[in-house]
Each structure stands twice: as C-alpha cells, then as structure tokens.
Amino acid sequence: MKISYNWLKNYINTDLSIEEVSTILTDTGLEVEGIEEFESVKGGLEGLIIGQVTSCSKHPDADRLSVTKVNIGAETELPIVCGAPNVAEGQKVVIATVGTTLYSGDESFKIKKAKMRGEPSEGMICAEDEIGLGASHDGIMVLDDSAKIGTPAKEYFNIETDTVFEIGLTPNRIDGASHIGTARDLAAFLSQTKKTELVKPSVDDFKVDNNNLPIEIIVENQEACPRYTGVTVSNVKVEQSPEWLQNRLKAIGLNPINNLVDISNYVLHETGQPLHFFDADKIDGNKVIIKTLPEATPFVTLDEQERKLSANDLMICNEKGGMCIAGVFGGATSGVSENTKNVFIESAHFNSVFVRKTAKRHDLHTDASFRFERGSDPNITVYALKRAALLIKEIAGGEISSEIVDVYPTPVADYKVDLTFQNLKRLIGKEIAKDKVKNILESLDIKIVSEDDEKLSLEIPTYRVDVLREVDVIEEVLRIYGYNNIEISEHVNSSLSYSPKPDKENIQNTISDILTGNGFNEIMCNSLTKVDYYSDLETFKPENLVKIFNPLSNDLNVMRQTLLFGGLESVMYNRNRRNPDLNLYEFGNCYYKNESESENPLKKYSEENHLALFITGNKTKESWIAKQEPTSFFVLKSHVENILERLGFNLDQIETEDISSDIFTEGLTYKYNKNQVVNLGIVNKKILKAFDIDSPVYYAEFSWNTVLKLTAKNSIRYTEISKHPEVRRDLALLVDKDVRFASIKELAQKSERKLLKKVSLFDVFEGEKLGANKKSYAVSFILQDEHKTLTDKQIDKITNNFIRVFEKELGAQIR
C-alpha cells in the first residue's frame, strides 16, 4: 500500500523528516518496506531555465534550422541552434542547459555541447512534449511575457515533488489502509509527547439542492449487505481532473481517468471506504436492488468479460438485471462515462465473507475487494458519501438531487471491552502510568466509558475490526507506547521441562547437518499443490487427496500426498536457470483422506511427516582435477544408508524389496522390523516428462514418523576400538546373473557370525569370456577377533567355509 507524505500532511500538522515518519509508522505496526520519490513531471524539470531569445536568424547551411542567442540570466548568452518553425526573437522560452537530462517515457538523453552544420549549440529550446508538460510537438513552448528570465522551470510550472511510503499492511490492520488511517496512528504516537490533532475534511457544507432524482434502495439480502447508503448528483460535467487531484493519484501509482472516477479513487484512499459511481440514467426503474441472482446468470464486467455468476454472489441490480458485483467489480454498462450527466453514489458495508468468496470465485482482486474482504467500517458510509458528493460539486459541478437514503436496519454498536491494569502489567512486563494508558486509548478513538482503580470499561470504534478482546487493547497500548521502551528484565522466569525421547527437533537438525555437510541444499515447498499431478496415479490415488474448499487457484487446490512433485518443481526451476547438478532435501508434512465411517471429521484425515532426497546431474562440479561423472542410484543409496546408520539402524537387519511403479522406474523399499522406512529409486520418465526434465532424477522418501518411532528403540553406544588388527580376504566369484550381492552377504554372515565384521562388493564384471548369463563379483571380507590376533589357520578355515557355502548355495565358482 502506498501512502503519499504530502497527502498525509493534509490531516496532520507535522514537519517530521522522512526517516522519522518511517520509523514511527514501522514501530506502530505499519511497516515501511520502501520509500520512493515522486515528481509530477519525470525528472522534476531539473536543469531547465526560463530564457529569452535575443536574436534569431536562418542557419547559413540549413533551411530548416535557426541560429539563436538566448539570455538565461547568466553573464553570457547561450548560442543555440533550433529546428522549431515557430522560434522568433523576443520569445520567452524553456531552455535545457548543457548537462540536463530529458526524459521520453522510459528513455532519456543528456544535453551536450555540439556543432550543428558548423554552428555551435550549447543547449536546447524545448517543446512541451520534450519536457513532459504536454503532447504537442508542433513547435517550441512559448511562455507569457511575464515569465522572469533565469527562473528555474520547476518553480515557474510549480512542479510537485513528494515522498511515497510503501507500507506492508498486515491483514489485521485494515484500519490503516488509507491516508486518514495512517495519519491517525501517526497522530496517536506524536500525542504522547505533544498534543497532535487529526484533522478530517469537514462535510458540514453538505446539503440537498433538490429532490429531482430520487433512487429507491431495496436490500433483499441483509446478511450480505448490513448497510447500504446512496445519494444522487445531477448535471455533472465529466472532464479531466484538476492537477492537484491527478498528482495525488499519480503519487500512489494510480492513473487519472476522469474527474468522477478520480474522485471515487481519491475518497477510497483518503478514508478507506470503497465507493461506486453509477450512471443514474442507466438505473432502470430508478431502483437499486441488492440481491443474489440465479446460478450461472451471465454478467459482463467492466473488463468486458462475461462471467457466470454463482447463486451466492451478491449483486447490485436495477429492475431489469445486474449492474455490479457488490464490493468487487463494476459492470460494463452501468458505470460512468464521458457522456454521464447524472450520478448515483453508492457507499456500503458488505459482509467480508461474501466478498472474499466472490472475489476468489471469479479471480477478481480490486482495491475495493481488498478492503471489504478484511472488514470495512459500517459507520463511515455516510461520511464518505458526503465527502464524495461535495468533491463532485466542487470539481465536476452539479447538484445534490436526492436525500441520502441509508438502509441500516441493525446498526453496529462499538465493541465493549474491559481492560484491567493487572493484566496490562502482566502481559507487557512493565507498569505504565494510568494517565499514560488513558491518553493512548483516547488518541486511538477508544472511548473510556467508566473506570475504577482496577480497570477501564472501553468502547472500541467499529473501524478496528481486529480489536475485540482485552489482549488486543493491550497490544494497542503497547504499539503506541513503543516496544522499544520496554526494558529487558533482569529477572528470568523458568520452569523445568522434560523433553520427549527421541527429541524430534534435535534428530531433524542432526540429519539436516549431515545432508548439508554432504553438499545438499534444503528446500521448502508449498503443502498446497495441484490435483493434475495425481491424475492416473495408483501409488497416490486422487480420491485420497485432501481438497481445499476455497482454493487460491487451480494450481493450489489440494494438499500434497508426497514431497515428490514439489521437489521436481524445484529441480525444473533450477535446471531452467542452468543449475542442473542438484542435491536437495526437504522435511515436510503429507496429507491423506482416509476411508473412515467415523462421524468425527478428524478420523477422516491423517498427516505424516516425511523426508525427501533428490539428486540429479553430475556427482561433482566441473574441475580440472577430476572428470565429471553423472550421479547414480547408488549415490542416493549411500546417502540413505548413512542416515539410517547415524540413527542407530543396523543395516544388516534391513529387508529390501524391489519396486517398480508409476513413481519409480526401478527402486527399493527398505523395511525394518516389518515397518516400511524408505522408498528410493529412479523417478519414472513419464513424470519427469511432465516437468520437462530430460535427465534422470533419483529420489528417496522416508516415512519420518516411522523412522522416529524406530529410532526411539535404537541405542547408539560407544565401544572401544579393538587393539587387534583386522584381516581382509578377497574372493572373485563367478555366479549366475540373477544372483544378487545381498544373497552373498547374507550367506557369509550366517556362516561366520562372530568374526566377520564387514562384507563389501568392490567390482562387478560381465563379458562373453565368462559364459552366457554369468557375471563376476569381487567381494572383500573383513575379519577380526576383538580379543586376540587371528592366525592364518583360522583365517583359511573361515575363507574355505565361505567358498564351500557359496559353491553349494549359489553354484559359484572361484576364479
């Protein structure tokens, strides 16, 4: 949200610096995210001076050029060659001196000394389009004779400069979404040291001129429209807005359109109350009816798009049909135009839920819906209406031609809250003087109805939709008093707590450190995703998706069942930006709809925590030291097993199963004590194609809840390193192609349970010389007795036993 400092000073008398205002607004809850300078003319006419042409003659070598001398109030006159047909001696003109930068849209150019066909030229006599003061390029701009030579052009043309604050408005602070709202906070803060009044524009001059154009208002849906106020103004003249009004709107990033539309926008950003101006001559039957229309009723909006209405969309109608989507967007035919003569002004309070659902349903987000969705003030409608009507009379002429019609069957009263001084001190941590507290509350328009030694009975104005409880009032006091004025106490309150075992956060941080240390980057993807990812999947069935009742968009309409698709979006994003070598991990929740007949809705849904790993591209970065090699499934497998080992899992007790699914082309499932711990493999090419990824992606997804549950049963204990040496023996085994290394490892461990410490595969060879359907495994065996040194006799006996078992069980041959 943009706030103009010049505009702000219409309501508060202050000479604070930009930095001081920025600090105050941020400290009071309206965080200033940026500051920018505004100039009503780009460049501010810097370097441009009023001068007079003292001589003018034809260029000796160019028929269309003139050689002039110009007096700009300096010691010497400037020689300037000019191509304008209307340049003449004696004219008062605008001169761009050497070094001046002129702007044309987004482009700019700098005035330099030059020679034009042999004649020196030290400046430029400007046309109005060349300096941003008009669109004409028929000739140079000739000023009135009263213009004083040497006057800076920005002073002559009264160029306005302004400072604009970009405020990051939080959803609860809709009361600050206007210049008056922002000025109110600023005044409240300044009033703590010096009485500072908030001056709102007076509407006391409002009076009805005649009753020639009455419009009847009928509210059929009072839940959706608790208050509707309207008045008519006749015989208006639609034209360009005055310069001051255009500058106010331009400063906050709005384009002026015409005086009526500009007044509507001005009042919105001044008061925070959205208005809508209807062409009164287009209101059939002179009736405004607030109601809903039948499902799928077509309606053409201001952007000339036909939309199908929902039966829950609140509409502003006349006797024949809809004119406007209430609080969201106007219709194509009912708004004001250059031919409008009579205007009906709407100032209403709409139910925030109705507006929010309609805006999301039609994907329409306007300044009006932004405010109505967060909660408008029901008691400001008449003030804003009068303010707009008076501005129309001032700027566009016309007469107020009806009484104000105010349909407000159930007035909204101020909220009543009790504030106890004890709770104020308890939550803030400091005792604030009672007079100080009352001064803060009064500066925020919070009325003190009654008081005693222990509490204040308060009435909260209706524009503060976020202040409904005592704790909200305490927050209001604190933000004006100043968070920075609360001293840090030397007294520390603490209590003993016992962390559950295992410590989930500690374990997650440990694994994060390991992965980061191994070159992984952590990602955090949205839990919301799109349903299209799950179409035709058996592994994650669409019927198990948790659907969002009011999705922000079709790309965020369900909760994720897996971390896979968010990670692939990250892979795609990085690859498209020439970062193809990736190691990524993510901790995140996945959500499921369960088949349950329970009446308890919580039983129908479940949530699980998962850990996902993604690797793709090359194993190492490009370097002269080593040749680049593509990463592989076995790189992923090693990271998975490192995680499990670090958490105390005995890898020898893990059962593996091959998997091939619509998620994995090939892969493995790891089970521990019959619990599925992790799935890992190569992501299916069909899925990769949907993300336009043309290289393999290796993916692992841990069921982290299960991992934590099993980790609680694992114990990692220190054991002393044996003083006796390890012994390694290698065997080259010729086996059938369908024999897996896991079978060799399992047989070896069964054959020697006591002394065998480790079995590793360090080479695999396949070739024609080995025979059909044969391959060779090179396997190492580490043997160790922790109490004594092994003898050759013992080692040979164990090795021969391995050979015998492999030959018998696997049909292996020793090479």
Side-chain angles (χ1 to χ4, degrees):
M1 181 188 71
K2 293 181 184 291
I3 293 293
S4 157
Y5 192 27
N6 287 351
W7 194 345
L8 199 66
K9 287 191 282 190
N10 288 348
Y11 317 111
I12 181 172
N13 184 19
T14 180
D15 57 358
L16 292 173
S17 69
I18 302 303
E19 291 73 18
E20 289 173 318
V21 173
S22 175
T23 300
I24 293 171
L25 292 178
T26 298
D27 289 346
T28 55
L30 300 176
E31 182 181 1
V32 176
E33 296 180 336
I35 298 174
E36 60 186 46
E37 297 299 321
F38 166 78
E39 296 164 327
S40 56
V41 174
K42 190 171 184 178
L45 302 188
E46 289 290 341
L48 276 72
I49 298 176
I50 306 302
Q52 183 175 28
V53 180
T54 57
S55 68
C56 179
S57 60
K58 288 295 181 182
H59 194 291
D61 295 324
D63 294 339
R64 295 187 179 182
L65 297 180
S66 300
V67 178
T68 68
K69 293 281 187 178
V70 181
N71 177 16
I72 61 169
E75 292 181 2
T76 58
E77 295 183 339
L78 297 179
I80 298 177
V81 177
C82 180
N86 65 327
V87 63
E89 184 177 330
Q91 292 174 334
K92 297 286 182 70
V93 292
V94 180
I95 304 298
T97 56
V98 172
T100 300
T101 300
L102 298 182
Y103 297 89
S104 177
D106 294 330
E107 298 180 355
S108 63
F109 65 94
K110 197 170 186 178
I111 303 298
K112 300 177 182 178
K113 286 186 179 181
K115 277 196 173 185
M116 302 183 70
R117 298 287 182 94
E119 293 292 331
S121 184
E122 298 181 8
M124 175 177 168
I125 305 176
C126 301
E128 64 178 41
D129 68 324
E130 293 169 331
I131 56 177
L133 294 176
S136 173
H137 195 70
D138 294 336
I140 60 170
M141 176 182 277
V142 180
L143 307 180
D144 189 79
D145 288 340
S146 62
K148 187 177 179 181
I149 296 171
T151 304
K154 64 180 180 181
E155 294 180 12
Y156 180 83
F157 291 106
N158 194 27
I159 300 303
E160 182 174 346
T161 60
D162 196 359
T163 300
V164 180
F165 301 99
E166 181 70 42
I167 293 179
L169 198 69
T170 53
N172 64 310
R173 288 304 312 278
I174 194 62
D175 64 290
S178 66
H179 283 77
I180 288 178
T182 302
R184 183 190 298 117
D185 266 16
L186 192 57
F189 183 89
L190 296 176
S191 291
Q192 305 316 303
T193 53
K194 179 183 177 182
K195 186 65 175 178
T196 305
E197 294 288 341
L198 174 68
V199 181
K200 295 169 63 176
S202 173
V203 294
D204 293 342
D205 292 338
F206 178 91
K207 65 182 181 65
V208 178
D209 297 310
N210 56 64
N211 282 291
N212 295 337
L213 189 57
I215 301 288
E216 183 181 359
I217 297 174
I218 302 170
V219 179
E220 293 187 2
N221 190 331
Q222 294 181 358
E223 178 191 3
C225 180
R227 186 175 192 180
Y228 194 95
T229 311
V231 72
T232 58
V233 182
S234 60
N235 300 320
V236 300
K237 183 179 181 181
V238 180
E239 58 187 2
Q240 193 177 50
S241 295
E243 189 174 353
W244 70 265
L245 179 52
Q246 291 191 46
N247 288 341
R248 287 287 181 266
L249 298 180
K250 286 178 182 177
I252 60 172
L254 298 180
N255 292 322
I257 297 173
N258 61 52
N259 50 6
L260 292 183
V261 175
D262 294 348
I263 289 169
S264 172
N265 285 327
Y266 181 85
V267 175
L268 166 64
H269 289 276
E270 178 182 59
T271 66
Q273 171 63 28
L275 304 175
H276 193 81
F277 291 1
F278 295 91
D279 188 326
D281 296 328
K282 297 178 182 178
I283 301 177
D284 292 321
N286 283 348
K287 287 184 180 179
V288 171
I289 306 167
I290 297 88
K291 62 180 181 178
T292 55
L293 295 175
E295 185 72 29
T297 299
F299 180 71
V300 180
T301 48
L302 196 59
D303 56 2
E304 298 184 352
Q305 289 191 27
E306 182 177 283
R307 304 175 189 274
K308 300 295 184 182
L309 299 177
S310 162
N312 294 317
D313 291 336
L314 187 67
M315 296 293 296
I316 310 301
C317 306
N318 54 37
E319 280 193 337
K320 293 185 178 180
M323 299 189 295
C324 172
I325 302 177
V328 180
F329 210 38
T333 59
S334 62
V336 298
S337 67
E338 58 185 13
N339 299 318
T340 296
K341 298 297 181 185
N342 304 310
V343 179
F344 173 75
I345 308 174
E346 166 196 284
S347 181
H349 170 62
F350 298 116
N351 185 302
S352 60
V353 176
F354 274 80
V355 174
R356 181 164 57 251
K357 288 182 177 180
T358 295
K360 288 183 178 179
R361 193 178 293 122
H362 297 288
D363 195 22
L364 287 170
H365 304 284
T366 60
D367 283 339
S369 68
F370 176 85
R371 287 159 175 80
F372 282 127
E373 286 178 31
R374 287 157 177 77
S376 64
D377 180 10
N379 293 326
I380 199 178
T381 59
V382 172
Y383 173 82
L385 190 79
K386 290 180 177 180
R387 175 69 169 148
L390 289 173
L391 284 171
I392 291 176
K393 287 189 69 176
E394 175 189 339
I395 295 171
E399 303 167 332
I400 297 174
S401 299
S402 74
E403 298 289 342
I404 292 177
V405 180
D406 186 14
V407 181
Y408 196 18
T410 309
V412 178
D414 290 344
Y415 307 111
K416 298 183 185 301
V417 177
D418 287 340
L419 171 64
T420 62
F421 295 111
Q422 180 181 357
N423 284 340
L424 183 74
K425 179 182 178 182
R426 179 176 62 84
L427 290 180
I428 291 179
K430 177 180 179 178
E431 185 168 357
I432 302 176
K434 293 181 181 179
D435 289 341
K436 185 77 169 177
V437 172
K438 291 192 288 184
N439 183 37
I440 291 173
L441 294 173
E442 289 170 354
S443 68
L444 291 171
D445 290 345
I446 296 176
K447 299 175 186 175
I448 301 174
V449 180
S450 63
E451 61 178 294
D452 55 37
D453 292 339
E454 296 182 353
K455 69 177 183 178
L456 300 174
S457 295
L458 309 172
E459 288 184 353
I460 314 298
T462 50
Y463 64 77
R464 289 310 307 270
V465 295
D466 62 317
V467 182
L468 304 175
R469 305 165 298 168
E470 182 183 29
V471 67
D472 299 327
V473 177
I474 293 172
E475 183 182 358
E476 290 299 291
V477 172
L478 182 55
R479 71 183 182 85
I480 299 301
Y481 180 77
Y483 290 95
N484 295 333
N485 293 326
I486 305 299
E487 299 83 3
I488 299 176
S489 174
E490 295 180 357
H491 177 71
V492 177
N493 294 321
S494 64
S495 60
L496 294 175
S497 61
Y498 297 92
S499 300
K501 299 294 182 181
D503 188 327
K504 296 180 181 180
E505 290 187 1
N506 186 44
I507 290 176
Q508 182 169 323
N509 289 337
T510 297
I511 299 306
S512 294
D513 289 343
I514 290 173
L515 290 169
T516 302
N518 279 277
F520 279 77
N521 289 302
E522 184 173 10
I523 59 175
M524 298 179 69
C525 300
N526 201 334
S527 296
L528 298 173
T529 185
K530 55 183 175 183
V531 69
D532 294 347
Y533 286 154
Y534 296 88
S535 59
D536 302 326
L537 286 184
E538 285 296 322
T539 305
F540 301 106
K541 296 181 178 180
E543 54 265 31
N544 294 334
L545 288 167
V546 179
K547 298 180 180 179
I548 304 302
F549 180 70
N550 55 339
L552 295 173
S553 71
N554 290 332
D555 289 341
L556 300 171
N557 53 7
V558 295
M559 305 292 283
R560 64 187 177 191
Q561 289 191 64
T562 173
L563 304 182
L564 173 63
F565 300 118
L568 290 180
E569 287 176 350
S570 300
V571 171
M572 176 181 66
Y573 182 90
N574 280 273
R575 286 179 58 83
N576 289 343
R577 286 155 183 81
R578 298 186 178 182
N579 184 28
D581 304 329
L582 301 168
N583 292 330
L584 308 174
Y585 73 95
E586 178 183 13
F587 286 95
N589 290 333
C590 296
Y591 308 86
Y592 308 93
K593 183 179 180 182
N594 307 320
E595 295 181 3
S596 173
E597 297 180 359
S598 172
E599 294 183 0
N600 184 352
L602 296 179
K603 298 287 186 182
K604 297 179 180 180
Y605 301 93
S606 60
E607 178 179 339
E608 295 179 6
N609 195 231
H610 286 196
L611 164 63
L613 308 184
F614 301 84
I615 62 173
T616 184
N618 292 314
K619 286 194 287 187
T620 57
K621 293 184 178 180
E622 188 176 12
S623 171
W624 62 272
I625 298 175
K627 183 181 177 182
Q628 279 192 318
E629 293 182 2
T631 194
S632 67
F633 168 79
F634 296 100
V635 174
L636 176 68
K637 184 172 179 284
S638 67
H639 289 301
V640 168
E641 293 183 353
N642 284 341
I643 292 171
L644 294 175
E645 276 193 307
R646 179 62 184 83
L647 295 176
F649 287 82
N650 185 342
L651 297 183
D652 294 333
Q653 296 179 12
I654 286 181
E655 301 174 10
T656 62
E657 294 179 5
D658 291 335
I659 55 172
S660 178
S661 66
D662 45 15
I663 300 297
F664 295 111
T665 302
E666 293 180 86
L668 294 173
T669 293
Y670 279 20
K671 292 185 177 181
Y672 194 81
N673 293 338
K674 298 183 179 180
N675 294 287
Q676 183 173 306
V677 175
V678 59
N679 291 329
L680 64 154
I682 308 170
V683 178
N684 196 302
K685 289 183 178 180
K686 182 179 178 181
I687 292 176
L688 295 181
K689 185 177 180 181
F691 289 87
D692 198 24
I693 299 172
D694 56 8
S695 65
V697 176
Y698 304 95
Y699 172 66
E701 186 161 355
F702 290 81
S703 177
W704 197 244
N705 290 349
T706 303
V707 169
L708 292 175
K709 180 180 177 182
L710 295 173
T711 300
K713 299 177 182 179
N714 297 334
S715 59
I716 303 174
R717 297 181 181 276
Y718 164 78
T719 56
E720 185 180 356
I721 298 175
S722 176
K723 299 177 182 179
H724 303 284
E726 294 179 343
V727 176
R728 170 171 168 160
R729 288 292 183 266
D730 297 340
L731 292 177
L733 303 174
L734 182 65
V735 296
D736 293 337
K737 275 192 175 181
D738 59 353
V739 174
R740 297 172 55 185
F741 168 68
S743 301
I744 296 173
K745 184 177 180 179
E746 183 180 354
L747 287 172
Q749 289 171 337
K750 287 181 178 179
S751 300
E752 181 53 59
R753 298 179 183 275
K754 183 179 179 183
L755 301 180
L756 181 62
K757 300 301 181 183
K758 188 176 181 182
V759 183
S760 300
L761 177 67
F762 62 88
D763 188 34
V764 179
F765 176 72
E766 296 182 30
E768 295 179 358
K769 294 181 179 180
L770 296 180
N773 295 319
K774 293 290 185 179
K775 62 183 175 181
S776 175
Y777 280 143
V779 185
S780 68
F781 303 87
I782 304 297
L783 305 172
Q784 184 184 42
D785 190 328
E786 296 179 358
H787 305 292
K788 62 183 180 179
T789 301
L790 289 171
T791 64
D792 290 340
K793 186 177 180 180
Q794 287 177 297
I795 296 168
D796 291 341
K797 181 179 178 182
I798 293 171
T799 304
N800 291 331
N801 192 36
F802 286 158
I803 293 172
R804 181 181 59 79
V805 170
F806 295 151
E807 289 176 341
K808 179 180 178 182
E809 300 294 335
L810 302 176
Q813 299 177 36
I814 305 302
R815 296 183 65 203

